[in-house]
Amino acid sequence: MILHCCRYLIAGICVVLATLLVANYPLNTTIIFVGLGIYTILLWFYPDLWIFLVPVAIPLVNFAPWSGWFFFDLLDALLLLTLALFLCRQTSKTHSPPLSPRELLLIVAISFSVMISCIIGLWPFPPLDANSFSNYHSHYNALRVGKGFFWGLILALMLRHNMCKPKTLLRYFAPGLLAGLSGVCLWVLWERQVYSGLFNFDSDFRIVGPFSGMHIGGVGIDAYLALVFPWVLSCFFLWRQWWVKILGLGLTGVGLYAILVTFSRIAYGSLSISLLLLIGGLMLQKINLRNWLLGVVGLLLFGALVVWPISQGDFIQQRFESVGHDIGVRQHHWYTAFNMRDTNWKTLLFGMGLGSYPRTYAFLSDENERPSDYRFINQPDEQFLRLPSDGYLYMDQRVNVSGNQNYCLSFNVRTYNSRAHLTAAMCEKSLLYSFRCQWMEFKCGDTQGQWQSVERCFNSGVVGSGNWIYQRRPVVLSLLNPKKNTVCDVDKIQLLDREGHNFLKNGDFSSGSDNWLFTADNHLPWHAKNLWVHLLFEQGWCGVLLFSGLIVVCVYRCFRLVIIGDRIALLVLSSIGGISTVGLIGSVLDFPRITILLCLLLSLGCWWPGCLDQKHWRAWDR
């Protein structure tokens, strides 16, 4: 009875938290509540459906470029409801064997290590203000990084509860991964068509897909593709329907295209490692050699048709020519991260704390360019944005403007340096690349510490023009302080058309960063650029050893299953090989969505063997 009461109490708390999050979300809350209501109804009647929907939502439910929220977002609300419904609809009969003492010990040890590192990152607990959840230099960044591990563990335990139901993975999890990948690939195709052209391989434009966490660079989309793309092959040996194989062939083509147009050399290496593991695993299994050779040759020829034109582009060749220089930059960056750590026993064991890398880099780095530490300043009668010049940082808001229209941009500005001036740009912009801009510079060095109103009227020209379906690019208003060693205060921004309609939201910054998302040109200050360096810096040797141990256990158990013919284990093994390769030059665990997905696949690799016997393994191949 007490256990049931606790379950319902936790479920109620989850519903309340999700409601509060959505109620304060800076986008259309009515549509969001309706969408989450439909999601709740679906899970109430089909409790296992979350195993399909969550892998779809992890990459695609991401609205940070419009909302400005990147600490907590709608995915958190969706996962809170998922947990609440799981607790309410869970039956007393479990479908999985109980945790062994060793498994329980590993879970407790990893949870304890992450919790200690999270507390270190949070300490000292600063007062809550507009900067607490809008700046990576905030101590509360520990919560943003930590939620990836928290949700990863919760969802892994939930998946384990359902893992041994007949055909659960075949019906839900694998299709969910493939549906999520399909959504990402469609996003990539749209992104390429709109910004550079599908077949323009000379442009230096690089995709980010729906991964808004890449507004400070990083390997978000590389890591996702490394984790999920190997599962495309499940279409060929987990289902026998001909139409599934045709869909799999199409998804192979667009997925391979998406990997190639990242123009990420480590993504190419990850793809190679994943394919080698898949081919090696299939060779170990008892399969029809003739069909296997025909399949491999067919896929290689199909892949060559996609790879060949991209490999002839100028940009990809430039990328490979600069490998030596970039390795040197990475090595110096890792050396800098090692030197920034404290030397006490606490740091040695538990690191500098979750989310502490950007903050520590800003204060202690000896590299050339430091990141900009923008702030929202709260005074008794107003709240405004303080925009320093370091790091070439842009404050962006997406605006729904059209081409060849007249607009007026006005705002209040204040500075204390005679050299200061502020730049505003209205551009067609992806997350990191700008096209067809209207640039406006405002000299504000003569304000002498007093607020001054400035205004500029202009015609948008070609900005915002084009067909809505396949040409129209999102338009962004960006603010930039380009003068070194100066600071500009900005307030009361308006972008008006002839009728006086204001296209900007939260222009007085009274709601902090709502609707504003910063982007940065220099990406090194925000990432350790190596999975193991990142773990050592933020979680110490305990984090490194425990996470490495988890991977070793997963690989060992999957390898044992691969030898006797299990192909789910082979797919997991290929995914882990791919993400580990990306981790050589990317700190993938500072993307919470990637952390969640990685935890799900690691748990699948660790617990899948315990749920099946020989009869089940044979059934999967039939």
Side-chain angles (χ1 to χ4, degrees):
M1 183 65 182
I2 295 177
L3 183 60
H4 285 290
C5 291
C6 290
R7 278 170 40 197
Y8 291 125
L9 176 62
I10 295 173
I13 293 173
C14 289
V15 171
V16 170
L17 290 176
T19 303
L20 290 174
L21 191 153
V22 174
N24 290 281
Y25 202 66
L27 299 182
N28 192 317
T29 55
T30 301
I31 295 177
I32 295 170
F33 272 121
V34 170
L36 291 178
I38 294 173
Y39 178 78
T40 302
I41 293 171
L42 285 173
L43 290 198
W44 184 264
F45 289 102
Y46 305 98
D48 292 344
L49 192 59
W50 75 267
I51 305 173
F52 171 81
L53 294 174
V54 167
V56 176
I58 286 174
L60 299 179
V61 179
N62 197 338
F63 302 101
W66 295 270
S67 69
W69 285 30
F70 54 88
F71 270 59
F72 305 102
D73 53 28
L74 290 184
L75 180 64
D76 297 298
L78 185 141
L79 294 181
L80 284 167
L81 289 177
T82 303
L83 176 58
L85 288 161
F86 177 83
L87 292 173
C88 290
R89 299 289 288 157
Q90 173 184 300
T91 60
S92 58
K93 181 181 179 181
T94 182
H95 296 274
S96 58
L99 290 169
S100 69
R102 285 181 296 179
E103 291 173 335
L104 187 60
L105 178 62
L106 183 60
I107 291 174
V108 171
I110 292 176
S111 301
F112 178 77
S113 175
V114 171
M115 182 180 64
I116 294 297
S117 297
C118 185
I119 293 173
I120 293 173
L122 283 169
W123 189 264
F125 302 110
L128 293 174
D129 59 19
N131 300 291
S132 298
F133 303 113
S134 63
N135 195 308
Y136 288 110
H137 296 161
S138 166
H139 284 266
Y140 291 103
N141 193 35
L143 297 179
R144 184 190 68 86
V145 177
K147 75 174 184 180
F149 293 96
F150 169 77
W151 282 125
L153 175 61
I154 294 295
L155 293 175
L157 292 173
M158 290 167 58
L159 182 64
R160 187 180 191 277
H161 177 83
N162 296 83
M163 196 176 293
C164 295
K165 291 182 180 179
K167 306 291 186 180
T168 294
L169 292 182
L170 194 63
R171 290 175 179 170
Y172 295 112
F173 188 67
L177 290 177
L178 297 178
L181 177 63
S182 300
V184 171
C185 289
L186 289 175
W187 192 304
V188 168
L189 291 175
W190 170 84
E191 190 176 11
R192 287 282 302 177
Q193 165 61 29
V194 166
Y195 290 108
S196 64
L198 286 173
F199 305 108
N200 177 8
F201 305 122
D202 296 327
S203 169
D204 63 354
F205 176 76
R206 299 179 65 184
I207 60 168
V208 298
F211 295 91
S212 62
M214 293 180 68
H215 66 119
I216 51 173
V219 292
I221 193 167
D222 311 65
Y224 176 81
L225 293 172
L227 279 170
V228 180
F229 183 73
W231 286 77
V232 173
L233 293 187
S234 66
C235 295
F236 303 105
F237 53 66
L238 290 188
W239 292 276
R240 292 191 176 278
Q241 296 90 336
W242 62 269
W243 58 269
V244 175
K245 299 184 187 301
I246 292 177
L247 289 176
L249 191 62
L251 190 52
T252 300
V254 294
L256 185 58
Y257 175 88
I259 292 173
L260 292 172
V261 296
T262 63
F263 296 108
S264 169
R265 293 154 298 192
I266 200 64
Y268 303 161
S270 168
L271 175 63
S272 301
I273 295 298
S274 295
L275 290 178
L276 286 174
L277 289 171
L278 283 169
I279 293 172
L282 289 173
M283 290 177 66
L284 290 175
Q285 298 178 353
K286 295 179 179 179
I287 57 177
N288 187 306
L289 183 60
R290 176 178 172 274
N291 291 342
W292 182 83
L293 287 174
L294 288 174
V296 169
V297 171
L299 286 175
L300 288 176
L301 290 175
F302 180 74
L305 293 176
V306 181
V307 172
W308 175 253
I310 298 176
S311 66
Q312 302 306 302
D314 291 340
F315 185 52
I316 194 171
Q317 295 179 24
Q318 294 170 12
R319 293 283 293 163
F320 279 102
E321 288 172 359
S322 63
V323 167
H325 172 266
D326 292 345
I327 289 177
V329 172
R330 290 288 195 277
Q331 289 175 337
H332 180 265
H333 190 64
W334 300 335
Y335 181 76
T336 298
F338 278 114
N339 287 342
M340 290 191 304
R341 296 179 303 146
D342 294 338
T343 56
N344 53 53
W345 66 268
K346 179 185 69 176
T347 301
L348 186 68
L349 289 178
F350 301 108
M352 298 287 288
L354 294 184
S356 63
Y357 182 84
R359 180 175 67 251
T360 308
Y361 186 98
F363 288 103
L364 299 180
S365 170
D366 61 356
E367 294 182 335
N368 293 331
E369 192 168 353
R370 294 179 181 274
S372 180
D373 186 21
Y374 66 93
R375 311 292 293 176
F376 297 101
I377 308 300
N378 192 347
Q379 294 184 348
D381 56 341
E382 62 184 342
Q383 182 166 285
F384 55 88
L385 170 67
R386 176 158 291 170
L387 195 60
S389 60
D390 296 329
Y392 247 69
L393 179 142
Y394 305 82
M395 290 297 295
D396 296 344
Q397 182 173 151
R398 296 201 171 188
V399 290
N400 186 24
V401 301
S402 302
N404 295 309
Q405 299 295 318
N406 293 319
Y407 299 95
C408 287
L409 176 67
S410 63
F411 54 88
N412 293 346
V413 63
R414 178 177 65 184
T415 186
Y416 301 90
N417 191 304
S418 60
R419 298 186 302 107
H421 72 265
L422 192 71
T423 298
M426 196 165 74
C427 302
E428 296 174 343
K429 188 175 182 181
S430 68
L431 203 60
L432 298 175
Y433 294 84
S434 297
F435 303 82
R436 301 198 305 192
C437 295
Q438 293 282 0
W439 293 92
M440 294 163 279
E441 292 195 4
F442 299 87
K443 293 183 178 180
C444 48
D446 55 351
T447 63
Q448 302 298 322
Q450 301 296 318
W451 286 108
Q452 174 181 308
S453 297
V454 295
E455 184 179 42
R456 182 75 53 83
C457 294
F458 62 96
N459 186 279
S460 59
V462 296
V463 178
S465 61
N467 186 281
W468 276 105
I469 299 175
Y470 63 94
Q471 288 179 321
R472 182 71 63 90
R473 298 164 175 165
V475 179
V476 172
L477 179 73
S478 301
L479 301 177
L480 167 68
N481 178 5
K483 286 294 182 180
K484 290 284 187 180
N485 302 317
T486 64
V487 174
C488 289
D489 295 339
V490 187
D491 196 9
K492 297 181 173 60
I493 307 177
Q494 290 185 316
L495 180 65
L496 305 177
D497 62 9
R498 287 182 174 180
E499 288 73 33
H501 176 257
N502 186 13
F503 287 82
L504 290 175
K505 300 176 181 178
N506 189 31
D508 59 358
F509 302 102
S510 58
S511 300
S513 64
D514 284 8
N515 305 110
W516 295 91
L517 181 70
F518 83 93
T519 59
D521 282 346
N522 186 11
H523 301 158
L524 291 179
W526 311 100
H527 309 281
K529 294 293 185 178
N530 180 280
L531 171 60
W532 312 107
V533 173
H534 172 84
L535 278 170
L536 181 62
F537 186 92
E538 293 197 351
Q539 298 187 46
W541 283 108
C542 284
V544 171
L545 295 176
L546 288 170
F547 189 78
S548 301
L550 180 60
I551 291 180
V552 169
V553 171
C554 177
V555 170
Y556 172 73
R557 292 192 173 186
C558 287
F559 182 72
R560 290 185 61 189
L561 288 182
V562 168
I563 292 176
I564 59 176
D566 188 87
R567 294 179 185 173
I568 290 290
L570 178 58
L571 293 173
V572 174
L573 190 61
S574 179
S575 294
I576 300 305
I579 193 67
S580 298
T581 305
V582 173
L584 293 176
I585 61 95
S587 42
V588 298
L589 295 180
D590 53 6
F591 290 89
R593 293 166 186 263
I594 301 300
T595 305
I596 294 170
L597 196 56
L598 177 57
C599 288
L600 282 173
L601 289 172
L602 285 172
S603 67
L604 180 60
C606 289
W607 288 329
W608 177 247
C611 292
L612 297 179
D613 56 21
Q614 292 286 345
K615 181 176 67 175
H616 286 99
W617 287 326
R618 297 191 193 100
W620 273 101
D621 284 335
R622 290 199 298 268

